[in-house]
Amino acid sequence: MTSEHDTKRVFLFLQGPHGPFFRRLARMLQRSGADVWRVGFNAGDSVFWPNRATFLPYRGTLEAWQAHFRELAADKGITDIVLYGDVRPIHAQAIAAAKDMGLGIHVFEEGYLRPYWVTYERGGSNGHSRLMSMSIPQMQDALDGADLETPMPPGHWGDMRQHVFYGALYHFFVMFANRRYRNFRPHRALSVAQEFQLYIKRLVLMPFLAIDRRISTLRIRFGGFPYHLALLQLEHDSSFQQHSPFDSMTDFLALVIENFAQGAPKHHHLVFKAHPLEDGRAPLRREIKKLAREHGVTGRVHWVRGGKLAQLLNDARTAVTVNSTAAQQVLWRGIPLKVFGDAVYNQPEFVSTQPLSDFFAGAGRPDNQAYKVFRRYLLETSQVAGGFYSSGGRRQLLRQVVDMMLSPHDPYEALDAGTAAPRQQLRLVK
Protein backbone atom coordinates (compact mmCIF):
# COMPACT_ATOMS: atom_id res chain seq x y z
CA MET A 1 0.00 0.00 0.00
CA THR A 2 1.35 3.46 -0.95
CA SER A 3 1.32 6.13 1.74
CA GLU A 4 0.54 9.80 1.17
CA HIS A 5 4.17 10.65 1.96
CA ASP A 6 5.32 8.34 -0.85
CA THR A 7 3.17 10.07 -3.46
CA LYS A 8 3.05 13.70 -2.32
CA ARG A 9 5.33 16.09 -4.18
CA VAL A 10 7.57 18.16 -1.92
CA PHE A 11 9.51 20.95 -3.67
CA LEU A 12 12.61 22.61 -2.25
CA PHE A 13 13.39 25.99 -3.81
CA LEU A 14 16.97 27.25 -3.86
CA GLN A 15 18.01 30.58 -5.40
CA GLY A 16 15.86 32.06 -8.13
CA PRO A 17 15.74 35.08 -10.43
CA HIS A 18 15.60 38.40 -8.60
CA GLY A 19 12.06 39.37 -7.78
CA PRO A 20 8.80 37.61 -6.86
CA PHE A 21 8.66 34.86 -9.51
CA PHE A 22 9.71 31.96 -7.26
CA ARG A 23 7.21 33.05 -4.59
CA ARG A 24 4.38 33.11 -7.15
CA LEU A 25 5.46 29.75 -8.59
CA ALA A 26 5.53 28.16 -5.13
CA ARG A 27 2.05 29.45 -4.33
CA MET A 28 0.61 27.78 -7.42
CA LEU A 29 2.42 24.51 -6.67
CA GLN A 30 0.88 24.58 -3.20
CA ARG A 31 -2.55 25.04 -4.74
CA SER A 32 -1.91 21.90 -6.80
CA GLY A 33 -1.50 19.96 -3.54
CA ALA A 34 2.29 19.96 -3.27
CA ASP A 35 4.33 21.04 -0.26
CA VAL A 36 6.93 23.76 -0.75
CA TRP A 37 10.06 24.83 1.16
CA ARG A 38 12.63 27.51 0.42
CA VAL A 39 16.29 27.65 1.44
CA GLY A 40 17.53 31.21 1.87
CA PHE A 41 21.22 32.05 1.68
CA ASN A 42 21.03 35.80 2.31
CA ALA A 43 18.70 38.67 3.19
CA GLY A 44 17.75 39.18 -0.46
CA ASP A 45 16.39 35.63 -0.64
CA SER A 46 14.45 36.28 2.58
CA VAL A 47 12.81 39.50 1.35
CA PHE A 48 11.37 37.84 -1.72
CA TRP A 49 9.95 34.92 0.30
CA PRO A 50 7.70 36.41 2.99
CA ASN A 51 6.23 33.07 4.19
CA ARG A 52 8.34 32.50 7.33
CA ALA A 53 6.76 29.08 7.96
CA THR A 54 8.32 27.59 4.80
CA PHE A 55 11.57 29.58 4.77
CA LEU A 56 14.72 27.72 5.85
CA PRO A 57 17.70 30.04 6.35
CA TYR A 58 21.12 28.54 5.68
CA ARG A 59 23.87 30.35 7.56
CA GLY A 60 26.64 27.78 7.21
CA THR A 61 29.63 27.71 4.91
CA LEU A 62 29.79 26.56 1.30
CA GLU A 63 31.96 23.64 2.40
CA ALA A 64 29.24 22.36 4.73
CA TRP A 65 26.36 23.01 2.35
CA GLN A 66 26.12 19.69 0.50
CA ALA A 67 25.97 17.65 3.70
CA HIS A 68 23.34 20.03 5.06
CA PHE A 69 21.35 19.72 1.83
CA ARG A 70 21.29 15.92 2.11
CA GLU A 71 20.07 16.10 5.71
CA LEU A 72 17.45 18.69 4.84
CA ALA A 73 16.15 16.75 1.83
CA ALA A 74 15.80 13.58 3.91
CA ASP A 75 14.19 15.38 6.87
CA LYS A 76 11.56 17.19 4.80
CA GLY A 77 10.87 14.31 2.42
CA ILE A 78 11.94 16.39 -0.57
CA THR A 79 11.03 14.92 -3.96
CA ASP A 80 12.10 17.83 -6.21
CA ILE A 81 14.44 20.81 -6.16
CA VAL A 82 13.86 24.05 -8.06
CA LEU A 83 16.60 26.51 -8.97
CA TYR A 84 17.66 29.24 -11.39
CA GLY A 85 20.96 28.49 -13.15
CA ASP A 86 22.81 25.26 -12.53
CA VAL A 87 26.47 26.27 -12.18
CA ARG A 88 26.68 28.61 -9.18
CA PRO A 89 28.47 26.60 -6.45
CA ILE A 90 25.50 26.10 -4.13
CA HIS A 91 23.39 24.84 -7.03
CA ALA A 92 26.08 22.62 -8.52
CA GLN A 93 26.56 20.91 -5.15
CA ALA A 94 22.81 20.50 -4.64
CA ILE A 95 22.34 19.05 -8.12
CA ALA A 96 25.09 16.51 -7.57
CA ALA A 97 23.50 15.39 -4.32
CA ALA A 98 19.98 15.43 -5.78
CA LYS A 99 21.02 13.17 -8.67
CA ASP A 100 22.58 10.77 -6.18
CA MET A 101 19.36 10.79 -4.13
CA GLY A 102 17.06 10.37 -7.15
CA LEU A 103 15.31 13.74 -6.75
CA GLY A 104 13.66 15.67 -9.56
CA ILE A 105 15.75 18.67 -10.66
CA HIS A 106 13.87 21.64 -12.17
CA VAL A 107 16.16 24.23 -13.76
CA PHE A 108 15.04 27.67 -14.90
CA GLU A 109 17.17 29.93 -17.07
CA GLU A 110 16.81 32.95 -19.31
CA GLY A 111 15.26 31.83 -22.57
CA TYR A 112 17.30 30.24 -25.32
CA LEU A 113 14.86 32.22 -27.47
CA ARG A 114 14.69 35.30 -25.26
CA PRO A 115 13.24 37.78 -24.57
CA TYR A 116 9.65 36.55 -24.64
CA TRP A 117 10.41 33.00 -23.56
CA VAL A 118 12.20 31.47 -20.59
CA THR A 119 13.92 28.09 -20.43
CA TYR A 120 12.61 25.25 -18.29
CA GLU A 121 14.58 21.98 -18.27
CA ARG A 122 15.32 19.11 -15.94
CA GLY A 123 18.75 18.11 -14.77
CA GLY A 124 20.70 20.99 -16.30
CA SER A 125 20.72 23.87 -18.77
CA ASN A 126 23.03 25.49 -21.33
CA GLY A 127 26.12 23.27 -21.63
CA HIS A 128 24.49 20.70 -19.32
CA SER A 129 21.24 20.58 -21.29
CA ARG A 130 19.94 17.41 -22.93
CA LEU A 131 19.95 19.45 -26.15
CA MET A 132 23.74 19.16 -26.27
CA SER A 133 23.47 15.49 -27.27
CA MET A 134 20.63 15.85 -29.79
CA SER A 135 21.00 16.10 -33.56
CA ILE A 136 18.79 17.94 -36.02
CA PRO A 137 17.49 14.67 -37.56
CA GLN A 138 16.45 13.50 -34.07
CA MET A 139 14.58 16.76 -33.53
CA GLN A 140 12.89 16.46 -36.91
CA ASP A 141 11.71 12.95 -36.06
CA ALA A 142 10.24 14.20 -32.76
CA LEU A 143 8.40 16.99 -34.58
CA ASP A 144 6.57 14.71 -37.00
CA GLY A 145 2.95 15.75 -36.94
CA ALA A 146 3.60 19.14 -35.29
CA ASP A 147 2.43 22.17 -37.24
CA LEU A 148 3.51 25.06 -35.03
CA GLU A 149 4.03 28.35 -36.84
CA THR A 150 7.49 29.72 -35.98
CA PRO A 151 7.13 33.32 -34.75
CA MET A 152 9.68 36.03 -35.51
CA PRO A 153 11.96 36.74 -32.54
CA PRO A 154 11.20 40.11 -30.91
CA GLY A 155 13.95 42.67 -31.16
CA HIS A 156 14.01 43.92 -27.56
CA TRP A 157 13.63 42.88 -23.95
CA GLY A 158 10.14 43.13 -22.53
CA ASP A 159 11.15 43.76 -18.90
CA MET A 160 14.60 45.32 -18.81
CA ARG A 161 13.73 48.05 -16.31
CA GLN A 162 12.12 45.54 -13.94
CA HIS A 163 15.14 43.25 -14.30
CA VAL A 164 17.55 46.01 -13.29
CA PHE A 165 15.23 47.26 -10.51
CA TYR A 166 14.87 43.86 -8.84
CA GLY A 167 18.60 43.28 -9.14
CA ALA A 168 19.32 46.57 -7.37
CA LEU A 169 16.72 45.84 -4.67
CA TYR A 170 18.10 42.35 -4.04
CA HIS A 171 21.67 43.60 -3.64
CA PHE A 172 20.50 46.46 -1.41
CA PHE A 173 19.14 43.99 1.14
CA VAL A 174 22.18 41.73 0.87
CA MET A 175 24.44 44.74 1.47
CA PHE A 176 22.56 46.40 4.35
CA ALA A 177 20.59 43.60 6.07
CA ASN A 178 22.79 40.53 5.79
CA ARG A 179 24.25 40.40 9.31
CA ARG A 180 22.53 37.04 10.02
CA TYR A 181 24.20 35.46 6.97
CA ARG A 182 27.84 36.21 7.68
CA ASN A 183 29.05 33.11 5.80
CA PHE A 184 27.30 34.08 2.56
CA ARG A 185 29.63 34.59 -0.38
CA PRO A 186 28.31 35.78 -3.78
CA HIS A 187 28.96 33.45 -6.71
CA ARG A 188 30.47 36.33 -8.70
CA ALA A 189 33.85 37.96 -8.24
CA LEU A 190 32.61 41.41 -7.18
CA SER A 191 31.45 42.17 -3.68
CA VAL A 192 27.77 42.75 -2.96
CA ALA A 193 28.45 46.46 -2.45
CA GLN A 194 30.11 46.71 -5.86
CA GLU A 195 27.22 44.82 -7.48
CA PHE A 196 24.72 47.20 -5.85
CA GLN A 197 26.64 50.27 -7.00
CA LEU A 198 26.70 48.97 -10.57
CA TYR A 199 22.94 48.34 -10.57
CA ILE A 200 22.23 51.83 -9.21
CA LYS A 201 24.62 53.39 -11.73
CA ARG A 202 22.85 51.62 -14.57
CA LEU A 203 19.40 52.69 -13.37
CA VAL A 204 20.49 56.33 -13.13
CA LEU A 205 22.30 56.37 -16.48
CA MET A 206 19.73 54.43 -18.51
CA PRO A 207 18.38 57.52 -20.38
CA PHE A 208 21.88 58.76 -21.24
CA LEU A 209 23.08 55.31 -22.29
CA ALA A 210 20.05 55.02 -24.56
CA ILE A 211 21.00 58.27 -26.33
CA ASP A 212 24.59 57.11 -26.79
CA ARG A 213 23.35 53.78 -28.15
CA ARG A 214 21.03 55.41 -30.67
CA ILE A 215 23.77 57.70 -31.97
CA SER A 216 26.24 54.81 -32.38
CA THR A 217 23.63 52.66 -34.09
CA LEU A 218 22.66 55.40 -36.54
CA ARG A 219 26.32 55.99 -37.47
CA ILE A 220 26.65 52.35 -38.40
CA ARG A 221 23.31 52.01 -40.17
CA PHE A 222 23.97 55.08 -42.31
CA GLY A 223 27.71 54.55 -42.66
CA GLY A 224 27.39 52.80 -46.02
CA PHE A 225 30.01 50.15 -45.22
CA PRO A 226 29.68 46.34 -44.98
CA TYR A 227 30.10 45.15 -41.39
CA HIS A 228 30.45 42.06 -39.25
CA LEU A 229 28.80 41.84 -35.85
CA ALA A 230 30.41 40.52 -32.65
CA LEU A 231 27.84 39.70 -29.95
CA LEU A 232 29.31 40.25 -26.49
CA GLN A 233 28.21 38.67 -23.23
CA LEU A 234 28.53 39.45 -19.56
CA GLU A 235 31.95 38.28 -18.45
CA HIS A 236 30.50 37.06 -15.15
CA ASP A 237 27.65 35.15 -16.81
CA SER A 238 27.60 31.42 -16.14
CA SER A 239 27.44 30.50 -19.83
CA PHE A 240 30.67 32.41 -20.45
CA GLN A 241 32.40 31.30 -17.28
CA GLN A 242 31.54 27.61 -17.45
CA HIS A 243 30.93 26.83 -21.12
CA SER A 244 33.55 28.79 -23.07
CA PRO A 245 37.28 28.41 -23.81
CA PHE A 246 38.11 31.98 -22.69
CA ASP A 247 39.24 33.19 -19.27
CA SER A 248 37.96 36.71 -19.91
CA MET A 249 36.00 38.68 -22.48
CA THR A 250 39.25 40.48 -23.34
CA ASP A 251 40.63 37.20 -24.69
CA PHE A 252 37.64 36.94 -27.00
CA LEU A 253 38.03 40.56 -28.14
CA ALA A 254 41.69 39.99 -28.98
CA LEU A 255 40.96 36.87 -31.03
CA VAL A 256 38.16 38.51 -33.00
CA ILE A 257 40.02 41.74 -33.82
CA GLU A 258 43.21 39.89 -34.80
CA ASN A 259 41.36 37.59 -37.21
CA PHE A 260 39.24 40.42 -38.57
CA ALA A 261 42.40 42.35 -39.39
CA GLN A 262 43.88 39.28 -41.11
CA GLY A 263 40.88 38.05 -43.06
CA ALA A 264 38.23 40.69 -43.68
CA PRO A 265 38.28 42.80 -46.85
CA LYS A 266 39.84 46.22 -46.19
CA HIS A 267 36.58 48.10 -46.70
CA HIS A 268 34.67 45.97 -44.16
CA HIS A 269 34.03 47.09 -40.58
CA LEU A 270 33.55 45.24 -37.28
CA VAL A 271 30.84 46.14 -34.76
CA PHE A 272 30.95 44.96 -31.14
CA LYS A 273 27.45 44.86 -29.67
CA ALA A 274 27.42 44.94 -25.85
CA HIS A 275 25.05 42.84 -23.76
CA PRO A 276 21.90 44.75 -22.69
CA LEU A 277 22.94 44.42 -19.02
CA GLU A 278 26.60 45.36 -19.53
CA ASP A 279 27.50 47.55 -16.54
CA GLY A 280 31.12 48.51 -17.16
CA ARG A 281 32.76 46.20 -14.62
CA ALA A 282 35.15 45.15 -17.41
CA PRO A 283 36.62 48.02 -19.50
CA LEU A 284 35.56 46.50 -22.83
CA ARG A 285 35.25 49.72 -24.82
CA ARG A 286 38.74 50.84 -23.85
CA GLU A 287 40.17 47.41 -24.64
CA ILE A 288 38.54 47.38 -28.07
CA LYS A 289 40.12 50.73 -28.97
CA LYS A 290 43.51 49.50 -27.79
CA LEU A 291 43.34 46.26 -29.78
CA ALA A 292 42.12 48.06 -32.90
CA ARG A 293 45.19 50.33 -32.78
CA GLU A 294 47.53 47.38 -32.30
CA HIS A 295 46.12 45.57 -35.35
CA GLY A 296 45.88 48.59 -37.62
CA VAL A 297 42.08 48.68 -37.91
CA THR A 298 41.30 51.91 -36.03
CA GLY A 299 38.31 53.55 -37.66
CA ARG A 300 36.94 50.20 -38.81
CA VAL A 301 35.97 48.88 -35.37
CA HIS A 302 32.90 50.15 -33.51
CA TRP A 303 31.25 49.72 -30.10
CA VAL A 304 27.49 49.82 -29.49
CA ARG A 305 25.88 49.62 -26.07
CA GLY A 306 23.09 47.12 -25.38
CA GLY A 307 19.66 47.58 -26.88
CA LYS A 308 17.78 46.40 -29.93
CA LEU A 309 19.83 43.85 -31.82
CA ALA A 310 17.45 43.69 -34.78
CA GLN A 311 18.46 47.14 -36.06
CA LEU A 312 22.09 46.04 -36.44
CA LEU A 313 21.32 42.53 -37.68
CA ASN A 314 19.35 43.72 -40.67
CA ASP A 315 22.51 44.66 -42.61
CA ALA A 316 25.20 42.50 -40.96
CA ARG A 317 27.29 40.23 -43.20
CA THR A 318 28.20 37.77 -40.44
CA ALA A 319 28.09 37.45 -36.67
CA VAL A 320 30.48 35.93 -34.15
CA THR A 321 29.96 35.14 -30.47
CA VAL A 322 31.17 32.93 -27.63
CA ASN A 323 27.79 31.34 -26.90
CA SER A 324 25.27 34.18 -26.57
CA THR A 325 21.59 33.31 -26.87
CA ALA A 326 21.28 36.40 -29.10
CA ALA A 327 22.82 34.23 -31.82
CA GLN A 328 19.37 32.71 -32.28
CA GLN A 329 18.26 35.96 -33.91
CA VAL A 330 21.27 35.75 -36.22
CA LEU A 331 20.37 32.23 -37.31
CA TRP A 332 16.71 33.08 -37.83
CA ARG A 333 17.76 35.67 -40.40
CA GLY A 334 20.05 33.24 -42.20
CA ILE A 335 23.21 35.20 -41.36
CA PRO A 336 26.47 33.19 -41.16
CA LEU A 337 27.46 32.57 -37.53
CA LYS A 338 30.70 31.55 -35.80
CA VAL A 339 30.59 30.23 -32.22
CA PHE A 340 33.42 29.41 -29.79
CA GLY A 341 31.73 28.07 -26.66
CA ASP A 342 29.33 25.28 -25.84
CA ALA A 343 25.82 26.29 -26.89
CA VAL A 344 22.61 24.38 -27.44
CA TYR A 345 22.36 25.82 -30.97
CA ASN A 346 25.92 24.88 -31.98
CA GLN A 347 24.86 22.48 -34.72
CA PRO A 348 27.06 21.85 -37.80
CA GLU A 349 24.15 22.41 -40.17
CA PHE A 350 23.94 26.11 -39.38
CA VAL A 351 27.02 27.18 -37.37
CA SER A 352 30.26 27.73 -39.31
CA THR A 353 33.24 25.41 -38.86
CA GLN A 354 35.60 27.69 -40.86
CA PRO A 355 38.71 29.21 -39.24
CA LEU A 356 37.81 32.70 -38.05
CA SER A 357 39.99 34.62 -40.53
CA ASP A 358 38.47 32.61 -43.41
CA PHE A 359 35.01 33.22 -41.95
CA PHE A 360 35.58 36.99 -42.13
CA ALA A 361 36.99 36.67 -45.65
CA GLY A 362 33.98 34.78 -47.01
CA ALA A 363 31.58 32.85 -44.80
CA GLY A 364 29.43 30.01 -46.08
CA ARG A 365 25.68 30.34 -45.68
CA PRO A 366 23.91 28.35 -42.96
CA ASP A 367 21.21 25.76 -43.61
CA ASN A 368 18.20 27.88 -42.69
CA GLN A 369 15.73 25.01 -43.00
CA ALA A 370 17.71 23.01 -40.42
CA TYR A 371 17.65 25.98 -38.07
CA LYS A 372 13.88 26.29 -38.42
CA VAL A 373 13.60 22.65 -37.32
CA PHE A 374 15.75 23.41 -34.29
CA ARG A 375 13.74 26.50 -33.40
CA ARG A 376 10.42 24.69 -33.72
CA TYR A 377 11.75 21.94 -31.49
CA LEU A 378 12.69 24.44 -28.77
CA LEU A 379 9.30 26.11 -28.91
CA GLU A 380 7.55 22.74 -28.56
CA THR A 381 9.68 21.69 -25.57
CA SER A 382 11.80 23.81 -23.21
CA GLN A 383 10.85 27.37 -24.22
CA VAL A 384 7.89 28.71 -22.27
CA ALA A 385 6.20 31.99 -23.18
CA GLY A 386 6.57 34.65 -20.48
CA GLY A 387 9.22 36.23 -18.31
CA PHE A 388 10.57 36.39 -14.75
CA TYR A 389 10.55 40.12 -14.03
CA SER A 390 7.42 41.88 -15.34
CA SER A 391 4.01 41.10 -13.85
CA GLY A 392 2.59 40.27 -17.28
CA GLY A 393 5.51 37.99 -18.03
CA ARG A 394 5.06 36.09 -14.78
CA ARG A 395 1.33 35.62 -15.38
CA GLN A 396 1.95 34.23 -18.83
CA LEU A 397 4.74 31.94 -17.65
CA LEU A 398 2.76 30.48 -14.74
CA ARG A 399 -0.12 29.49 -17.00
CA GLN A 400 2.10 26.86 -18.60
CA VAL A 401 5.10 25.98 -16.48
CA VAL A 402 3.43 24.57 -13.35
CA ASP A 403 1.82 21.75 -15.31
CA MET A 404 5.18 21.09 -16.98
CA MET A 405 6.81 20.74 -13.54
CA LEU A 406 4.12 18.38 -12.29
CA SER A 407 4.32 16.19 -15.40
CA PRO A 408 6.13 12.84 -15.09
CA HIS A 409 7.95 13.72 -18.34
CA ASP A 410 10.56 16.39 -18.89
CA PRO A 411 9.83 18.82 -21.80
CA TYR A 412 11.71 16.70 -24.35
CA GLU A 413 10.20 13.40 -23.22
CA ALA A 414 6.73 14.97 -23.26
CA LEU A 415 7.02 15.73 -26.97
CA ASP A 416 8.20 12.18 -27.72
CA ALA A 417 5.41 10.72 -25.58
CA GLY A 418 2.73 12.93 -27.10
CA THR A 419 1.84 14.47 -23.74
CA ALA A 420 3.23 17.97 -24.31
CA ALA A 421 0.63 20.65 -23.66
CA PRO A 422 -0.32 22.95 -26.56
CA ARG A 423 2.02 25.91 -26.66
CA GLN A 424 0.65 29.33 -25.84
CA GLN A 425 0.37 31.92 -28.57
CA LEU A 426 2.98 34.61 -28.10
CA ARG A 427 1.73 37.92 -26.75
CA LEU A 428 3.66 41.04 -25.90
CA VAL A 429 4.67 41.08 -22.23
CA LYS A 430 4.45 44.38 -20.37
XYZ file of all heavy atoms in Angstrom, residues 134-141 143 150 328 331-332 334 344-351 365-378:
312
model
N 21.639 16.113 -28.772
C 20.627 15.850 -29.791
C 21.068 16.377 -31.143
O 21.711 17.436 -31.239
C 19.302 16.508 -29.403
C 18.669 15.974 -28.136
S 17.061 16.772 -27.845
C 16.762 16.291 -26.142
N 20.702 15.662 -32.197
C 21.001 16.096 -33.557
C 19.751 16.665 -34.206
O 18.627 16.437 -33.746
C 21.509 14.915 -34.391
O 20.478 13.960 -34.594
N 19.932 17.387 -35.295
C 18.793 17.942 -36.017
C 17.873 16.837 -36.550
O 16.641 16.947 -36.437
C 19.270 18.864 -37.151
C 20.059 20.056 -36.575
C 18.087 19.374 -37.965
C 19.277 20.918 -35.615
N 18.399 15.740 -37.129
C 17.491 14.669 -37.560
C 16.645 14.095 -36.414
O 15.470 13.767 -36.610
C 18.444 13.617 -38.132
C 19.613 14.404 -38.627
C 19.774 15.500 -37.613
N 17.220 13.980 -35.217
C 16.447 13.496 -34.070
C 15.317 14.469 -33.734
O 14.196 14.053 -33.418
C 17.364 13.319 -32.855
C 18.316 12.140 -32.952
C 19.284 12.092 -31.781
O 19.809 13.130 -31.344
N 19.553 10.904 -31.278
N 15.611 15.761 -33.807
C 14.583 16.756 -33.532
C 13.483 16.709 -34.587
O 12.294 16.833 -34.271
C 15.209 18.153 -33.457
C 16.192 18.327 -32.314
S 16.950 19.974 -32.311
C 18.213 19.743 -31.050
N 13.876 16.541 -35.845
C 12.887 16.460 -36.910
C 11.960 15.264 -36.725
O 10.744 15.366 -36.912
C 13.592 16.362 -38.267
C 12.643 16.275 -39.467
C 11.829 17.551 -39.633
O 12.337 18.576 -40.069
N 10.547 17.483 -39.261
N 12.528 14.140 -36.311
C 11.706 12.954 -36.061
C 10.691 13.220 -34.942
O 9.528 12.807 -35.027
C 12.586 11.765 -35.680
C 13.393 11.234 -36.850
O 13.055 11.563 -38.011
O 14.381 10.502 -36.607
N 9.371 15.985 -34.173
C 8.399 16.989 -34.577
C 7.388 16.473 -35.589
O 6.495 17.225 -35.999
C 9.122 18.204 -35.182
C 9.842 19.129 -34.191
C 10.725 20.112 -34.936
C 8.843 19.869 -33.311
N 6.325 29.177 -36.683
C 7.495 29.715 -35.985
C 7.429 31.238 -35.969
O 7.543 31.860 -37.018
C 8.795 29.259 -36.668
O 8.790 27.840 -36.760
C 10.002 29.729 -35.883
N 20.575 33.287 -31.699
C 19.370 32.709 -32.283
C 18.727 33.682 -33.267
O 18.182 33.268 -34.305
C 18.376 32.353 -31.181
C 18.898 31.351 -30.177
C 18.508 29.923 -30.513
O 18.014 29.621 -31.588
N 18.737 29.035 -29.572
N 20.689 33.434 -36.540
C 20.370 32.235 -37.306
C 18.990 32.336 -37.953
O 18.790 31.860 -39.076
C 20.449 31.008 -36.390
C 21.856 30.650 -35.917
C 21.809 29.628 -34.784
C 22.696 30.121 -37.073
N 18.044 32.940 -37.261
C 16.708 33.078 -37.831
C 16.744 33.887 -39.125
O 15.987 33.632 -40.061
C 15.782 33.738 -36.821
C 14.413 34.016 -37.372
C 13.860 35.231 -37.630
C 13.434 33.047 -37.740
N 12.608 35.089 -38.131
C 12.316 33.749 -38.215
C 13.397 31.652 -37.713
C 11.152 33.107 -38.663
C 12.242 31.010 -38.161
C 11.143 31.734 -38.624
N 19.208 33.885 -41.205
C 20.054 33.239 -42.199
C 21.422 33.855 -42.353
O 22.078 33.686 -43.391
N 23.599 25.359 -27.002
C 22.608 24.378 -27.435
C 22.345 24.473 -28.933
O 21.910 23.502 -29.562
C 21.288 24.540 -26.656
C 21.512 24.246 -25.176
C 20.685 25.930 -26.845
N 22.608 25.637 -29.533
C 22.364 25.823 -30.971
C 23.605 25.539 -31.833
O 23.562 25.733 -33.050
C 21.876 27.249 -31.243
C 22.820 28.313 -30.727
C 23.980 28.659 -31.412
C 22.562 28.965 -29.527
C 24.845 29.617 -30.932
C 23.424 29.927 -29.033
C 24.559 30.258 -29.747
O 25.430 31.194 -29.258
N 24.673 25.093 -31.213
C 25.916 24.885 -31.976
C 25.825 23.577 -32.769
O 26.422 22.562 -32.414
C 27.114 24.864 -31.029
C 28.444 24.980 -31.762
O 28.486 25.002 -32.993
N 29.526 25.068 -31.017
N 25.090 23.635 -33.861
C 24.865 22.480 -34.725
C 25.602 22.695 -36.048
O 25.596 23.806 -36.595
C 23.368 22.289 -34.992
C 22.529 21.998 -33.765
C 22.602 20.538 -33.339
O 23.161 19.696 -34.035
N 22.023 20.226 -32.183
N 26.252 21.661 -36.596
C 27.059 21.852 -37.802
C 26.254 22.265 -39.025
O 26.819 22.822 -39.975
C 27.715 20.478 -38.004
C 26.834 19.511 -37.264
C 26.286 20.281 -36.103
N 24.956 22.027 -39.013
C 24.152 22.414 -40.173
C 24.064 23.931 -40.341
O 23.930 24.425 -41.462
C 22.725 21.857 -40.040
C 22.611 20.365 -40.245
C 22.825 19.568 -38.970
O 23.281 20.162 -37.951
O 22.532 18.369 -38.976
N 24.137 24.672 -39.229
C 23.942 26.114 -39.377
C 24.932 26.977 -38.596
O 24.770 28.196 -38.551
C 22.504 26.520 -39.023
C 21.933 25.862 -37.795
C 22.283 26.274 -36.531
C 21.018 24.826 -37.928
C 21.734 25.678 -35.410
C 20.455 24.217 -36.813
C 20.808 24.649 -35.548
N 25.953 26.403 -38.002
C 27.023 27.177 -37.371
C 28.335 26.858 -38.084
O 28.670 25.692 -38.284
C 27.128 26.861 -35.864
C 28.361 27.524 -35.263
C 25.876 27.338 -35.129
N 27.026 30.091 -46.200
C 25.680 30.343 -45.681
C 25.187 29.156 -44.863
O 25.439 28.001 -45.191
C 24.723 30.625 -46.835
C 25.086 31.871 -47.616
C 23.952 32.284 -48.532
N 22.755 32.641 -47.765
C 21.657 33.175 -48.319
N 21.621 33.398 -49.612
N 20.617 33.455 -47.569
N 24.446 29.431 -43.796
C 23.913 28.346 -42.957
C 22.704 27.681 -43.615
O 22.078 28.248 -44.521
C 23.503 29.065 -41.674
C 23.189 30.466 -42.117
C 24.129 30.767 -43.247
N 22.388 26.483 -43.151
C 21.207 25.759 -43.609
C 20.017 26.284 -42.816
O 19.753 25.851 -41.691
C 21.401 24.258 -43.377
C 20.233 23.422 -43.874
O 19.141 23.988 -44.111
O 20.404 22.196 -44.000
N 19.281 27.217 -43.411
C 18.205 27.877 -42.690
C 17.043 26.938 -42.389
O 16.365 27.079 -41.363
C 17.715 29.086 -43.480
C 16.889 30.048 -42.635
O 15.729 30.275 -42.907
N 17.501 30.603 -41.587
N 16.809 25.958 -43.258
C 15.732 25.008 -42.998
C 16.039 24.163 -41.761
O 15.154 23.860 -40.959
C 15.518 24.110 -44.216
C 14.955 24.840 -45.425
C 13.654 25.571 -45.108
O 12.736 24.987 -44.525
N 13.579 26.841 -45.480
N 17.320 23.775 -41.608
C 17.709 23.010 -40.420
C 17.518 23.846 -39.161
O 17.078 23.336 -38.120
C 19.160 22.552 -40.544
N 17.842 25.144 -39.245
C 17.647 25.983 -38.067
C 16.167 26.105 -37.708
O 15.799 26.113 -36.526
C 18.239 27.378 -38.262
C 17.918 28.252 -37.075
C 18.500 27.993 -35.841
C 16.966 29.263 -37.161
C 18.167 28.731 -34.714
C 16.631 30.011 -36.044
C 17.231 29.740 -34.822
O 16.889 30.465 -33.708
N 15.310 26.189 -38.708
C 13.877 26.292 -38.417
C 13.372 25.034 -37.709
O 12.483 25.108 -36.854
C 13.112 26.550 -39.703
C 13.322 27.966 -40.243
C 12.559 28.200 -41.524
C 12.765 29.629 -42.016
N 12.061 29.897 -43.287
N 13.935 23.877 -38.043
C 13.596 22.650 -37.317
C 14.014 22.782 -35.850
O 13.251 22.465 -34.927
C 14.274 21.426 -37.960
C 14.125 20.187 -37.084
C 13.700 21.161 -39.346
N 15.226 23.242 -35.644
C 15.750 23.411 -34.287
C 14.875 24.375 -33.482
O 14.497 24.097 -32.336
C 17.186 23.930 -34.363
C 17.792 24.274 -33.028
C 18.231 23.278 -32.174
C 17.938 25.600 -32.634
C 18.798 23.587 -30.942
C 18.498 25.918 -31.407
C 18.928 24.911 -30.569
N 14.534 25.497 -34.087
C 13.735 26.502 -33.402
C 12.348 25.961 -33.054
O 11.841 26.169 -31.938
C 13.632 27.751 -34.271
C 12.840 28.875 -33.634
C 12.775 30.071 -34.565
N 11.846 31.065 -34.046
C 12.124 31.938 -33.086
N 13.325 31.935 -32.540
N 11.232 32.793 -32.657
N 11.737 25.284 -33.988
C 10.421 24.690 -33.719
C 10.504 23.685 -32.575
O 9.609 23.610 -31.720
C 9.887 24.001 -34.981
C 9.396 24.935 -36.073
C 8.915 24.135 -37.272
N 7.826 23.237 -36.908
C 7.629 22.042 -37.454
N 8.485 21.576 -38.359
N 6.604 21.301 -37.086
N 11.591 22.929 -32.542
C 11.747 21.937 -31.485
C 11.840 22.619 -30.114
O 11.226 22.170 -29.133
C 12.994 21.092 -31.740
C 13.173 19.965 -30.761
C 12.406 18.806 -30.858
C 14.104 20.047 -29.731
C 12.552 17.761 -29.959
C 14.263 19.017 -28.821
C 13.486 17.874 -28.944
O 13.633 16.849 -28.044
N 12.599 23.709 -30.034
C 12.695 24.437 -28.767
C 11.331 24.956 -28.325
O 10.955 24.850 -27.146
C 13.664 25.614 -28.906
C 15.152 25.310 -29.060
C 15.949 26.605 -29.027
C 15.649 24.365 -27.991
